[in-house]
Amino acid sequence: MALNSAAGLAGMLKAGHKHDEGTSAILRNVEAAKGLSAIVCTSLGPNGMNKLVINHLEKIIVTSDCATIVRELEIAHPAAKMLELASTMQEQECGDGTNLTVSFAGELLLKCEDLIRMGLHTSEIVAGYTNAYDCLKRTLPTLITGKVDDVRSYDQLLRIVKPVLATKQAEAEEFLGDLVAKAALGTMSTKGKGNINTDSVRVAKIMGGSIKQSEVIAGMVCMRGTEGTIRRVVDAPISVFACGVEASATEAKGTVLMKNADDLMSYNKSEETKMDEIIKSIAATGTKCIISGGTVSEMAMHFIERYGMMCVRITSKWELRRLCTATNSTALVRLGPATAEELGFCDEVSVKEIGGRKVTVFNQVKSAKDGCRISTVLLRASTESVLNDLERAVDDGVNCIRTACTDGRYVQGAGACEMELAQKIKAYGDTCPGLDQYAIRAFANALEFVPRTLAENSGQEATDVLAALGAAHANGNAAAGVDITAATTDRNGVFTTDENLVDLYATKDSAFRLSIDAVMTVLRVDQIIMSKPAGGGKQ
């Protein structure tokens, strides 16, 4: 079939496609990214607002966590999707700073719109942003004010965790910070360089009570009771079976012919004898607690009770693996006695009733010579949405400690770091002779969104706070930040931050890098071509 050249792009592509090009395409991308940024920026800081999101499964999510918000929105626009991907990567790398990543990228693109309308070409904006980011990379290390010298120090961990938790759970950061620091220290090895695996700190959620009833357990919590009558064992060797504790069934079908009553009476005798032998041999290894990954038959339960052992059933293979890690045991795929190397050990296994729910607690205290392998933060709250938000806050805190173990350097928080960077980049922009100086100044102005948003979210006049903050930094006070309590006091919204209000350098650096990458990707797109969606029902 011949191509109708007069029809242009519409004649080349399949009917039903959509396309946009030139400045219009760039502005549409900027508009989409701006919309996403506007949604999440009001959740920045301790006074940030929550978002109520109902996903496609009609699950209600109430949170101020940016990573959760953008993930549940199911974004379709490709430009906004870039910001979502940047947020996801920031969450994976650092566990915090996702709001900074999305909001800063949106602010940069907002400034792009003004520059494009002024007449600047996209290439000049890209060149200006690249030069400004190079200046930021040179300046940011000079703003480092300290370092976490000892990652096994409770006080130092608490200092870096509290600001992270305050942005998610204001007023509860002191209590939650204590829980997170203790849980992280409990799983950290006492030998060599301190390090932490985020999977080693688990969260168990039980509805009811208040946040103040939450606690840290050195070990693991199984969210169900035991199978038998024994509720507590101490100094317990543990046998873990990935299979069920029951008589194995044959794969082939068989028929049993019984000729008299004696045959019927003795039919189960051999099976009972065999099960008795197996459970007796397990008890002979010193086992006090049996963990089953499958069903536990009534006959097996009878003999387990006879030999005075506790039995716990765990159906999740992931939970079974974590229990093996916590107790240093090996999951057996055969029903029989475990060797000395395969046996696990736990200081205390007990059933507790918390909030009307029975849970089995595996406590490891004395036996954890080089640090417990798993710690559990047991969270209590009145509603499911609060519990989920607390879990996300704890997860961010643990990731913050993991980042500090790799790079413990930190900069001042409360918008002080961003304001100082803005001042330095503005000064650098004044020395640039080309048109890219406008983009460099726009980059510097975009950095001011952090103190401006903190002031707006705390109910202050953002213009006044920014003016006072800019004056403080111009006078050499690089530690001047936004005072979020100024709306209820007589202060002017600016105060000098101290070592108790810091942000990790690695988190800031990663957030800025991912923001710039996303913005550059969006700016370099000058044409959008979308083919007709598959499926007749979609419009």
Side-chain angles (χ1 to χ4, degrees), residues 100 139-147 159-160 163 408-421 447 450-451 454 469 473 476-482 495-509 512:
L100 175 62
T139 308
L140 190 58
T142 65
L143 302 181
I144 293 171
T145 57
K147 182 181 180 182
R159 185 169 69 235
I160 61 168
R409 296 175 293 173
Y410 52 77
V411 296
Q412 294 305 133
C417 172
E418 287 82 359
M419 198 66 193
E420 185 67 17
L421 284 171
L447 280 166
V450 174
L454 288 174
L469 197 58
H473 280 265
N477 187 4
V482 178
F495 78 121
T496 302
T497 56
D498 55 18
E499 286 201 342
N500 293 319
L501 192 53
V502 295
D503 291 326
L504 284 176
Y505 167 80
T507 303
K508 288 275 186 198
D509 185 47
F512 289 138

Side-chain angles (χ1 to χ4, degrees), residues 205-226:
K205 301 176 290 185
I206 298 180
M207 200 179 300
S210 69
I211 297 175
K212 297 294 183 183
Q213 292 175 319
S214 303
E215 59 180 311
V216 175
I217 293 170
M220 187 171 160
V221 176
C222 176
M223 304 299 288
R224 62 184 298 162
T226 58

Side-chain angles (χ1 to χ4, degrees), residues 453-532:
T453 306
L454 288 174
E456 288 174 351
N457 290 348
S458 59
Q460 302 177 61
E461 187 59 48
T463 308
D464 296 343
V465 173
L466 272 181
L469 197 58
H473 280 265
N475 292 330
N477 187 4
V482 178
D483 184 2
I484 61 170
T485 63
T488 56
T489 62
D490 296 331
R491 293 192 288 262
N492 64 349
V494 177
F495 78 121
T496 302
T497 56
D498 55 18
E499 286 201 342
N500 293 319
L501 192 53
V502 295
D503 291 326
L504 284 176
Y505 167 80
T507 303
K508 288 275 186 198
D509 185 47
S510 174
F512 289 138
R513 174 174 51 81
L514 289 168
S515 295
I516 291 296
D517 288 346
V519 168
M520 293 302 182
T521 305
V522 172
L523 284 180
R524 287 194 172 103
V525 173
D526 72 335
Q527 197 164 15
I528 306 171
I529 305 167
M530 292 182 287
S531 61
K532 182 182 178 182

Side-chain angles (χ1 to χ4, degrees), residues 211-534:
I211 297 175
K212 297 294 183 183
Q213 292 175 319
S214 303
E215 59 180 311
V216 175
I217 293 170
M220 187 171 160
V221 176
C222 176
M223 304 299 288
R224 62 184 298 162
T226 58
E227 297 297 306
T229 58
I230 298 172
R231 293 287 184 266
R232 182 175 181 268
V233 289
V234 182
D235 296 332
I238 294 177
S239 293
V240 181
F241 298 99
C243 57
V245 183
E246 57 186 348
S248 56
T250 58
E251 292 183 5
K253 291 183 179 180
T255 303
V256 178
L257 182 62
M258 297 181 184
K259 296 183 178 179
N260 50 46
D262 293 333
D263 290 348
L264 182 61
M265 293 290 290
S266 61
Y267 175 64
N268 277 338
K269 290 291 183 184
S270 60
E271 189 177 339
E272 287 181 20
T273 305
K274 186 64 178 175
M275 183 58 71
D276 188 9
E277 288 177 9
I278 292 171
I279 302 300
K280 186 177 181 181
S281 65
I282 294 172
T285 62
T287 298
K288 290 186 179 180
C289 180
I290 291 177
I291 310 296
S292 171
T295 56
V296 181
S297 67
E298 291 183 4
M299 188 186 299
M301 197 66 243
H302 165 72
F303 290 115
I304 290 170
E305 288 281 306
R306 176 186 287 183
Y307 291 106
M309 293 184 287
M310 177 188 278
C311 182
V312 182
R313 183 166 165 256
I314 297 177
T315 53
S316 168
K317 63 178 181 180
W318 309 109
E319 199 171 347
L320 199 66
R321 287 178 186 175
R322 293 186 195 109
L323 183 65
C324 289
T325 303
T327 58
N328 197 23
S329 55
T330 304
L332 306 176
V333 293
R334 52 169 177 79
L335 192 59
T339 63
E341 293 78 16
E342 294 168 336
L343 272 177
F345 185 82
C346 190
D347 291 336
E348 181 188 10
V349 185
S350 59
V351 177
K352 294 183 179 179
E353 188 169 346
I354 304 174
R357 181 169 184 174
K358 290 184 179 179
V359 296
T360 306
V361 179
F362 295 83
N363 251 320
Q364 295 277 44
V365 182
K366 295 179 292 182
S367 62
K369 296 174 184 175
D370 59 344
C372 182
R373 289 165 176 258
I374 284 186
S375 289
T376 302
V377 180
L378 185 66
L379 294 175
R380 304 292 309 281
S382 55
T383 63
E384 187 179 356
S385 61
V386 175
L387 274 175
N388 292 335
D389 215 24
L390 285 171
E391 182 182 15
R392 285 186 281 268
V394 169
D395 186 50
D396 284 356
V398 172
N399 276 286
C400 171
I401 293 176
R402 184 199 66 182
T403 305
C405 290
T406 308
D407 186 354
R409 296 175 293 173
Y410 52 77
V411 296
Q412 294 305 133
C417 172
E418 287 82 359
M419 198 66 193
E420 185 67 17
L421 284 171
Q423 299 282 336
K424 300 282 187 185
I425 293 173
K426 276 180 186 175
Y428 168 69
D430 293 339
T431 64
C432 297
L435 285 174
D436 58 350
Q437 64 177 295
Y438 295 104
I440 294 172
R441 290 198 189 99
F443 188 100
N445 290 332
L447 280 166
E448 293 179 356
F449 95 93
V450 174
R452 185 178 69 246
T453 306
L454 288 174
E456 288 174 351
N457 290 348
S458 59
Q460 302 177 61
E461 187 59 48
T463 308
D464 296 343
V465 173
L466 272 181
L469 197 58
H473 280 265
N475 292 330
N477 187 4
V482 178
D483 184 2
I484 61 170
T485 63
T488 56
T489 62
D490 296 331
R491 293 192 288 262
N492 64 349
V494 177
F495 78 121
T496 302
T497 56
D498 55 18
E499 286 201 342
N500 293 319
L501 192 53
V502 295
D503 291 326
L504 284 176
Y505 167 80
T507 303
K508 288 275 186 198
D509 185 47
S510 174
F512 289 138
R513 174 174 51 81
L514 289 168
S515 295
I516 291 296
D517 288 346
V519 168
M520 293 302 182
T521 305
V522 172
L523 284 180
R524 287 194 172 103
V525 173
D526 72 335
Q527 197 164 15
I528 306 171
I529 305 167
M530 292 182 287
S531 61
K532 182 182 178 182

